Amino acid sequence: MISVEPGASYMLGNVTAILNVPLALVRNRTRSLTDISDSTPDNFRHGDAAFADYLLNFSPAWRIPKKTPVLFNSL
């Protein structure tokens, strides 16, 4: 199987959003032993693998900021 996976990410402050869309280009699955043994000249079996044409992956992320000490404490 050959696929491409274009994606984009956007960061604003401590929040990040990521969107990936993998697209299947070539599906060339090898036949299993069961496929070969169950095949007949009239009924050629090539498995039951189901590959999606595309998929939408959306990932939100939130960065927890590090607490920094105050450099100059006023009295």
Side-chain angles (χ1 to χ4, degrees):
M1 182 168 172
I2 298 174
S3 61
V4 295
E5 187 172 349
S9 63
Y10 182 74
M11 184 174 192
L12 180 63
N14 292 331
V15 178
T16 303
I18 303 165
L19 179 67
N20 292 325
V21 184
L23 301 168
L25 299 178
V26 176
R27 297 173 192 90
N28 189 10
R29 191 180 75 82
T30 58
R31 294 177 65 203
S32 66
L33 183 61
T34 307
D35 291 340
I36 295 169
S37 65
D38 289 347
S39 291
T40 62
D42 296 331
N43 183 18
F44 181 78
R45 278 192 61 165
H46 199 272
D48 59 352
F51 298 112
D53 292 332
Y54 64 92
L55 180 68
L56 296 174
N57 294 324
F58 177 73
S59 303
W62 176 57
R63 181 174 56 104
I64 300 172
K66 181 180 177 182
K67 292 183 180 181
T68 57
V70 178
L71 295 176
F72 301 103
N73 289 333
S74 300
L75 295 177

